[in-house]
Amino acid sequence: MIQPLTPELAKEFKLPENTGALVGEVTPKSPAAEAGLKEGDVIIEFNGKKVTDSRQLRLMAALMSPGTRVTLKAIRDGKEQTFTLKLGEVPSEGLAKAERRGGRGRDTSADPLDGVVVEDLDAAARRQFNIPNHVRGALVVDVNPASPAATAGLRPGNVILEINRQRVSSADEAVELSGRIKDGRVLLRVWSDGGSHYVVVEASKQPRHS
């Protein structure tokens, strides 16, 4: 579990600048735990690339396949340390908000948005993905490569504009609307590559293997 690094947190952790991603929790037996990461570590580099914030770190990790070995540089107690870990799978829990990835106690076996993680759009995301100001919705930051949503073409950097013809204005609203899906099938309107399109995601659809 990583969280944004605010100026106040940067001061508390005695960091020279307000960049990086703060580790708020490390799940036991997770790849992060096995690599030696601890709560309070601030990740500043991912595979040699500077980490500006938690959103960027999630996006970089989401674009890599599970099982890939990566090198992280983190600050702990004012000193830089290097960690090597193997990326794990996105947890299966239905559509979830990035800062709140705990399970919601629902059966996700028939959930077409299982394995998708979203967060609110902000100015940094708009710059990174060239998302116009008039686009409103929930930014996709993580998609399990084996999920029905990935099979349907959903990718990190996409913006969910509508769920079953209901407009989405925030990540919380997307999570709420996804909880109303009952038949294992959902109609999404998605913004990507400068325009929007509709896509149907079905829980029963499995990715094709070559």
Side-chain angles (χ1 to χ4, degrees):
M1 290 285 290
I2 54 175
Q3 64 183 88
L5 191 64
T6 64
E8 293 78 16
L9 286 170
K11 187 177 180 180
E12 284 294 322
F13 285 90
K14 298 179 175 59
L15 301 173
E17 53 184 332
N18 183 29
T19 58
L22 176 62
V23 179
E25 181 182 350
V26 178
T27 305
K29 299 183 180 179
S30 67
E34 291 173 0
L37 281 167
K38 295 181 179 179
E39 289 84 358
D41 288 348
V42 178
I43 300 170
I44 58 171
E45 233 178 67
F46 179 91
N47 262 5
K49 294 182 180 179
K50 183 177 179 179
V51 174
T52 56
D53 54 30
S54 58
R55 176 190 56 79
Q56 183 211 21
L57 175 60
R58 280 192 296 272
L59 288 171
M60 287 194 294
L63 293 172
M64 304 188 78
S65 301
T68 303
R69 287 200 172 276
V70 297
T71 301
L72 301 179
K73 189 176 286 186
I75 294 178
R76 178 185 295 173
D77 298 327
K79 298 178 182 178
E80 288 188 8
Q81 296 194 28
T82 301
F83 303 88
T84 301
L85 60 84
K86 186 167 68 172
L87 294 179
E89 293 276 2
V90 178
S92 295
E93 58 194 24
L95 184 71
K97 191 177 178 184
E99 302 299 340
R100 189 187 66 231
R101 291 180 73 164
R104 289 172 292 146
R106 53 182 282 206
D107 177 15
T108 62
S109 60
D111 191 334
L113 296 181
D114 184 25
V116 180
V117 182
V118 294
E119 73 174 25
D120 292 333
L121 270 172
D122 59 14
R126 290 185 185 280
R127 285 194 300 271
Q128 182 169 351
F129 297 105
N130 296 316
I131 303 169
N133 287 331
H134 70 267
V135 173
R136 295 284 186 271
L139 177 68
V140 176
V141 295
D142 219 344
V143 183
N144 187 331
S147 68
T151 303
L154 207 63
R155 297 290 182 268
N158 291 172
V159 180
I160 298 176
L161 307 174
E162 294 179 5
I163 295 178
N164 281 339
R165 300 187 186 276
Q166 298 291 308
R167 285 190 176 275
V168 171
S169 61
S170 66
D172 282 330
E173 197 167 291
V175 172
E176 181 186 347
L177 287 171
S178 74
R180 303 177 191 174
I181 300 169
K182 296 178 181 177
D183 58 1
R185 190 170 185 268
V186 64
L187 173 67
L188 302 178
R189 188 161 73 91
V190 177
W191 183 95
S192 65
D193 301 321
S196 64
H197 63 280
Y198 285 98
V199 61
V200 174
V201 183
E202 296 184 58
S204 58
K205 274 197 170 184
Q206 296 299 320
R208 297 191 187 100
H209 296 281
S210 55

